[in-house]
Amino acid sequence: MSTAATALSFREVLAIGPVRRLWIAQIVSIFGDFLAIFAVIGVVTFNLHGTPNQVSMILVSFLLPLAFISPLAGVFVDRWNLKITMITSDLIRGVLVLVLVWARDLNTIYAVFFAMSCVSAFFMPAQSVALRTIVPAAGLMAANALMSQAMQGMQIISPAIAGLLVQWFGPNSCFIFDGFSFFFSATLVFTVAIHREPSASAKASGILSSMGQGMKFILTHPAISYVVISMTAGMFAIRCFGALLSIYVRDILASQASLFGTLNSLIGIGMIAGSQTMPRLAKKVTKNHLVTYGLAGMGVAVLFTAAFSTVVTTALSMLGLGFFAAFIMISAQTLVQQETPREMLGRVSSSLMSLLTFSQVVAMFVAGPVAQSAGIRNLYYGSAVLLLLIATIGLRQLRKPAQTPAIDTAAGA
């Protein structure tokens, strides 16, 4: 019987106690993160009248460590106790975010985001391995969709709440709640039983050798390599678009922080709709095809944003952007968890994170200067063209008979 035929539903996955507790921890922690991020971006954009480069640097400071530290972090995640790694990461990040309460300049904000990212480089692969450990293989698609829905659900409500908190109590209220959310997450993780023996192969190999094993697996696995290459190029294009959305709202739509928050909420609504659709589509469509269709759909959404530049068309585009983004993220995460040997999952997950983040970091450095010299709408046109070009190449590759066995194997995983 195929995996698709025995796939667990959302309700069946949530009936697993440890999964439910990790899911709740994810909801609270991500809600706090979004409060802090929107508070910082809103203050820099609308209060300090930051330039595109200054706004981009907020995300660069967070993404840069993920690009370069993640492969090293994955080696240690495969060697260390998962629960202790996750709890320690939460506690450290909870302390770091509280530093923003006293931050008064951009350099301090950049430094805090950089330090938090260094710690997150350990937490993210540890959480992925933990999910693989406590969820049956038939429930991975639903479990990843639930985690994605938790993220996007918080993205829907947090912008409005962040705006109200900043207006009523100041941005420090958002940072204090984010600190609490990390401590709450650590408490829930403490209650979860995670049984995973550290990887013997990771211990036996040197650190540099172990780092190379994760990257080699990604680049040589037929199904995973296709998805990762497509995602990396696509992430570059979409990050060029998303990094300066607040500037687009201010300069092109001539609006305020409230619209910026609403547009981000619409992306979240779209992703929840997409993640609800995913388990059904995965029974009929391969994960590689879902990634390709997701790239094409996102390209069309960005193109509409640039071409019409009205509030209504931008809002509809954000819904579409989120809907098709779910195709990419959930398919890729599930494929990696299913196809990767358990003892290598930390290294493979962190290497994947490194590749995707590196492409975003490059996009951050490109987006600001291009937007200032060529205009933000031209930057958006370029992002749309790149997404559609990647999708077109991907569809042509998937039609080749030689690739059929690898794709079928991935779909049945």
Side-chain angles (χ1 to χ4, degrees):
M1 184 177 294
S2 68
T3 302
T6 58
L8 299 181
S9 66
F10 292 125
R11 179 176 297 181
E12 289 170 327
V13 169
L14 279 179
I16 303 171
V19 176
R20 187 168 59 252
R21 290 194 287 276
L22 281 183
W23 183 64
I24 294 173
Q26 174 103 331
I27 290 175
V28 175
S29 180
I30 289 176
F31 177 62
D33 287 347
F34 276 129
L35 287 183
I37 290 171
F38 282 121
V40 167
I41 293 179
V43 168
V44 173
T45 301
F46 299 102
N47 293 355
L48 301 180
H49 301 285
T51 66
N53 279 337
Q54 289 174 328
V55 175
S56 296
M57 282 303 298
I58 296 173
L59 295 177
V60 169
S61 62
F62 184 78
L63 293 172
L64 199 61
L66 293 177
F68 295 101
I69 295 178
S70 291
L72 177 63
V75 174
F76 290 103
V77 166
D78 280 335
R79 301 182 183 200
W80 290 347
N81 181 285
L82 286 177
K83 179 187 282 191
I84 293 176
T85 300
M86 294 171 70
I87 292 174
T88 304
S89 298
D90 272 337
L91 294 177
I92 294 174
R93 290 183 296 172
V95 172
L96 285 171
V97 76
L98 292 177
V99 176
L100 291 174
V101 172
W102 295 276
R104 294 295 181 269
D105 61 90
L106 282 172
N107 288 332
T108 303
I109 293 172
Y110 297 153
V112 170
F113 274 79
F114 185 92
M116 289 179 63
S117 178
C118 291
V119 182
S120 295
F122 291 84
F123 181 88
M124 293 178 183
Q127 184 186 53
S128 180
V129 178
L131 200 64
R132 161 77 178 269
T133 302
I134 63 179
V135 178
L140 282 175
M141 179 68 80
N144 285 312
L146 281 169
M147 291 298 180
S148 175
Q149 288 178 36
M151 176 179 293
Q152 301 313 319
M154 293 306 98
Q155 184 170 335
I156 293 170
I157 65 174
S158 59
I161 295 176
L164 291 175
L165 287 175
V166 170
Q167 181 179 345
W168 292 344
F169 306 107
N172 286 346
S173 60
C174 297
F175 307 144
I176 291 172
F177 186 91
D178 195 18
F180 162 78
S181 73
F182 282 121
F183 300 139
F184 180 83
S185 174
T187 302
L188 277 185
V189 172
F190 180 78
T191 68
V192 177
I194 304 174
H195 301 292
R196 196 273 322 238
E197 290 295 326
S199 170
S201 62
K203 288 183 176 181
S205 304
I207 291 177
L208 292 179
S209 175
S210 296
M211 289 172 59
Q213 289 170 3
M215 194 66 70
K216 180 180 179 181
F217 181 86
I218 286 176
L219 297 178
T220 57
H221 189 287
I224 292 178
S225 62
Y226 169 81
V227 169
V228 169
I229 292 171
S230 298
M231 280 185 67
T232 301
M235 192 61 70
F236 171 85
I238 200 61
R239 182 54 70 183
C240 285
F241 166 82
L244 300 178
L245 182 58
S246 62
I247 303 296
Y248 179 84
V249 169
R250 185 189 70 188
D251 296 348
I252 304 300
L253 300 182
S255 190
Q256 300 297 318
S258 57
L259 179 60
F260 171 62
T262 300
L263 292 177
N264 278 280
S265 295
L266 291 174
I267 294 174
I269 292 173
M271 285 202 74
I272 288 179
S275 61
Q276 288 286 343
T277 307
M278 280 292 301
R280 294 190 294 273
L281 283 178
K283 296 178 181 180
K284 303 175 181 179
V285 184
T286 69
K287 296 180 183 68
N288 286 351
H289 278 88
L290 285 172
V291 169
T292 305
Y293 298 153
L295 290 170
M298 292 169 73
V300 172
V302 175
L303 182 62
F304 266 70
T305 301
F308 296 101
S309 298
T310 67
V311 173
V312 173
T313 55
T314 301
L316 293 174
S317 297
M318 295 306 100
L319 285 170
L321 189 71
F323 183 84
F324 288 105
F327 286 28
I328 300 174
M329 303 311 298
I330 297 172
S331 296
Q333 183 72 10
T334 304
L335 181 63
V336 168
Q337 289 172 336
Q338 289 177 334
E339 294 288 328
T340 305
R342 184 168 298 186
E343 66 274 9
M344 289 187 64
L345 189 54
R347 282 164 284 173
V348 172
S349 296
S350 61
S351 295
L352 172 61
M353 186 192 310
S354 175
L355 288 172
L356 296 180
T357 307
F358 182 77
S359 69
Q360 294 179 69
V361 170
V362 175
M364 293 293 99
F365 284 110
V366 170
V370 171
Q372 288 190 188
S373 60
I376 195 166
R377 290 184 67 185
N378 288 328
L379 172 69
Y380 281 11
Y381 278 125
S383 299
V385 169
L386 182 56
L387 284 165
L388 292 170
L389 179 62
I390 297 166
T392 301
I393 294 173
L395 285 175
R396 293 187 63 181
Q397 291 297 317
L398 290 174
R399 290 194 183 104
K400 292 181 179 180
Q403 295 227 358
T404 302
I407 297 170
D408 288 341
T409 299

